[in-house]
Amino acid sequence: MDLMNNKIQLPLEKLPRKWLNIAPFMKSKPYPLLLPNGKPADFDTMCQIFPTECVKQAVSQEEFIDIPKEILEAYVLCSRPTPIQRAYRLEKAIGVEGDDIKIFFKREDVSPMGSHKGNTAIAQAYFAREQGLKGLTTETGAGQWGSALSLGGALMDLQIKVWMVRISYQQKPGRKTLMNSLGATVLPSPSDQTQAGKKFYEKDSNHPGSLGIAISEAVEASMSSDEFRYSLGSVVDFVCLHQTIVGQEAKMQMEMINEYPDVIIGCIGGGSNFAGLAFPFMKDKLTGKKPNLDIIGVEPMACPSLTKGEFTWDFGDTAHVAPIVKMYTLGNSFIPAPVHAGGLRYHGAAPLVSLATHDGVMRSIALHQLETLNAGIIMSKSEALIPAPETTHALAAAINVAKEAKQNGEKKTILYNHSGHGFLDLQAYEKLIAGDLVDYEYPDEEVKKSLSELPDVDESTFMG
Amino acid sequence: MDLMNNKIQLPLEKLPRKWLNIAPFMKSKPYPLLLPNGKPADFDTMCQIFPTECVKQAVSQEEFIDIPKEILEAYVLCSRPTPIQRAYRLEKAIGVEGDDIKIFFKREDVSPMGSHKGNTAIAQAYFAREQGLKGLTTETGAGQWGSALSLGGALMDLQIKVWMVRISYQQKPGRKTLMNSLGATVLPSPSDQTQAGKKFYEKDSNHPGSLGIAISEAVEASMSSDEFRYSLGSVVDFVCLHQTIVGQEAKMQMEMINEYPDVIIGCIGGGSNFAGLAFPFMKDKLTGKKPNLDIIGVEPMACPSLTKGEFTWDFGDTAHVAPIVKMYTLGNSFIPAPVHAGGLRYHGAAPLVSLATHDGVMRSIALHQLETLNAGIIMSKSEALIPAPETTHALAAAINVAKEAKQNGEKKTILYNHSGHGFLDLQAYEKLIAGDLVDYEYPDEEVKKSLSELPDVDESTFMG
């Protein structure tokens, strides 16, 4: 253990200047996005929803896409490049100490908002402002993404309007305050500001809301104004693209200590933090340089889209205003149990992550929250870091892989994405410590029902 | 603005290996601690309260005291050395951009527990364990110090027992959870575990408690067990000593960019974060190298011990179980208004900081919380960092000094201690944004009354 030399810090001058586009390297050709009417989305329609530059990036076949200087400066302000650490004390705590098993983790928790989300929030805010827009709209459930976009807005002098699911708005005043302190407008959803919201608001002005309604409101607000566009925090290709700065840094950091991971692990909700770490390594697998690299996405058992879902066409949202994409899905009407990893409660997974899974380039597993949050406690006691509930999924998987390797007498170098801290999610740990936390079984019947209600898409009309 | 080169990161190999003891450099000779009976504290009695090594450090006249390797390793794990940044975007936001006025800040908020407190918590836990003790007891109000000591306990495999003021225990479950997640035992105070607590607990098992009662419980629990000692998070000399790693790093970081601050600023409750940053620079002032250095401690107007208090002998605590020290005090029976900067609500100030103020080596000012928290919002919007309410005092003072220099056409390089983040204090900002936050006038009459009740100490019996 060389604890005095355990922070692998990429020199500032090595900060990646480009994002890596994994699309041209994929084994199978990526599928297009479809409009809610089932037709492939045309460029102009997409540009009515998202900032134009982001749409361009989403359809680009360039291997690398330049990161503008102002985004790089904001990344540096927000603690990029982030460190990698070896979890020596965790290794000892779980009984795998020594030189055969090595667990490394990438510290995306050091960003001011506490997670990886800023990597794309900053980029989207920049491109929106450069386009001459006044602002971006978005939705937020627990508030993690809304906070990150608010940060992006503050740094780029852009107005941010966040529709926050009303029940969270009421129960998580801290998140709302954080967004307000960054200058963002936060509206409880359903609101009376949109047609989509009014339908619910007028019946019940205290309606608890849902992510589906909040998405509808944010999309409607952007499409009904020339000065606003809609911003998404995960799933779509350009978000995964922006996150690849994480994995590019990580590759160089591992090189600095003459290591290359055998296993890459990230938790998966929409898939962006996973993609961010994994894609730059996955490129080595796809190009034949590292054929045996094991890449693992970790989902909650309450919502195992990749692990138990179907690879098919589905709406990105429950309200059917977002595009239809080909992905692993549990069906857009499926409502996952209220596990504490709110950020992982998504019925689908990013199209590129789904495709990589379908192509056999990566695999996924699903874990229960009691196991993952207990791993969080082990991490807290050993490495003094309390992870976000989402992050505990990657952590718990890393622990399992390490223990298994130890048992089998294998050598293994593991790298996982420590995607966020848990300071604003302490209720999850409170319940765990009090013994009040429960696991939710995989809801087989509900998923079957939800999967029976997918949109009708005839691939043959647009796939060659 | 060179935003791409704005993180001044001390190379790991330059991490200070010694703490700086300011005592031998002080203009006036430091006063001894007295026992509650008014007699100078003898070594053995002090060792019944605190870990022996800490007592030795408190009376040491050595200029430098070695930091043991295991403490250095834990410091590195907890993000030392911490960066310094220039607040370019803040400078712009307050209208002082350019090269005449420079605001730098030391990022103590990057520690896993979110503040500077770990610097002494880790050290005290180490020395306690090396002494063969089983654990440390302490009290905590809002929970900041309790969390830091819990972290120290986790890293050093030491039991930590925290008596937490019951009203905070009930209102701030997050802090309790954080301590529990690190393995600490947290008891609501008053408890039925100590004589001091029982007196109140038996009358009212839901007694809201006070810091005074919690201190009494923690001290009693340590003194009634051979295996436990008591741990303090501020005020005493050895705590200030442990914090000097902050200022030593800062000096080297400023040297790296060929700067030396004209003004050093820190907020003051007990005084430890201030002392940590200021003492290594203050040494240059005391030794004649930097005679004009302006060193400013910033207090809340609701509790301006240095700014409006009396330099005299007083109990360190309201319960009269802690030692009597010579310091600036508002009187130990004074109860400050409930400002959000809970960590600054201390009736006195560290003896060494008090003496430096009395000697004219530094000065203090007092600010209202509306002003300081508004500064926090400016910082949040410009630099994407939401500071702890305590930290906003140093920040607001830095802003004032900068604006004043600008107005006077002066050049000024300012360095302040960004002592902690505000993620667990968002209620303060919530109230501010909602317009519900009030200022409290300086309570003249209450302080007069409190100052009329100081202990009787006859200095001539022990001062030469």
Side-chain angles (χ1 to χ4, degrees), chain B residues 333-364:
Chain B
S333 64
F334 170 65
I335 297 175
V339 289
H340 282 275
L344 305 187
R345 293 174 68 243
Y346 183 62
H347 68 275
L352 286 169
V353 172
S354 293
L355 189 57
T357 305
H358 193 247
D359 283 344
V361 182
M362 58 170 283
R363 62 188 177 108
S364 72

Side-chain angles (χ1 to χ4, degrees), chain B residues 66-88:
Chain B
D66 284 333
I67 308 176
K69 181 158 181 289
E70 200 175 333
I71 294 179
L72 290 171
E73 289 171 347
Y75 278 173
V76 171
L77 185 75
C78 293
S79 306
R80 302 222 73 85
T82 62
I84 280 183
Q85 283 172 229
R86 176 151 171 209
Y88 282 114

